[in-house]
Amino acid sequence: MSIKAQGLAHVGIPCTDLNKSITFYQQFGFEVAARLEGWNGYNIAMIRSGDCTVELYQSLDAEERAGIAARADGHVDHIAVMVDDLDEMNRYCQEKGYEVVSNGIESMPIFAPASCRYFFITGPDGERLEFVEVKD
């Protein structure tokens, strides 16, 4: 096969309140890169931090938004964001009152011999946000 993926373009997350979601992600360094209002029945924001891009989209249809709010699954499982100081990010999340939904800071041998540490919190619409630190 001559065609191959060249990297992650973005992760799409349906949300019930676009501005609330933008504000949530901005505290972790994301900035609004582009925004569309009312495009094909959606308000959309592309937010970016470094090479990580997330598409947040909110339906203009109240019934569709209610369905998103009621989802038990169907959200993106998680978005992983690299950080350079995991302990500081963990302290920040605790200060903000975000519930850590992993067993605290965990470790994974996937990048051995480098260390990989991470933890998860939950975003405004049930998506899991993972913070990752990889050190040699």
Side-chain angles (χ1 to χ4, degrees):
M1 179 168 89
S2 61
I3 300 172
K4 64 179 184 175
Q6 297 178 354
L8 182 65
H10 69 270
V11 175
I13 300 176
C15 56
T16 57
D17 183 329
L18 184 61
N19 290 325
K20 180 179 177 181
S21 291
I22 289 170
T23 299
F24 174 79
Y25 284 96
Q26 282 176 327
Q27 70 186 321
F28 301 113
F30 284 87
E31 297 177 2
V32 176
R35 190 163 180 167
L36 291 171
E37 300 289 329
W39 185 79
N40 284 345
Y42 292 90
N43 291 332
I44 301 168
M46 300 301 282
I47 60 173
R48 185 173 297 136
S49 180
D51 292 333
C52 182
T53 302
V54 175
E55 175 189 14
L56 300 171
Y57 57 95
Q58 174 189 329
S59 176
L60 298 176
D61 180 71
E63 189 174 316
E64 185 175 347
R65 285 193 312 274
I68 290 166
R71 288 182 182 177
D73 57 14
H75 294 280
V76 171
D77 178 68
H78 71 277
I79 302 166
V81 178
M82 285 286 225
V83 297
D84 54 1
D85 189 337
L86 191 70
D87 296 306
E88 182 60 32
M89 182 59 78
N90 188 43
R91 276 190 290 281
Y92 176 81
C93 289
Q94 288 179 16
E95 287 172 8
K96 294 296 283 184
Y98 298 127
E99 180 184 2
V100 174
V101 294
S102 53
N103 292 322
I105 293 177
E106 299 184 49
S107 296
M108 175 187 304
I110 194 166
F111 296 110
S115 68
C116 175
R117 301 168 58 229
Y118 63 94
F119 71 92
F120 287 89
I121 64 171
T122 304
D125 285 293
E127 71 276 14
R128 294 188 315 149
L129 184 58
E130 177 185 10
F131 295 101
V132 179
E133 177 187 79
V134 177
K135 288 193 175 181
D136 294 327

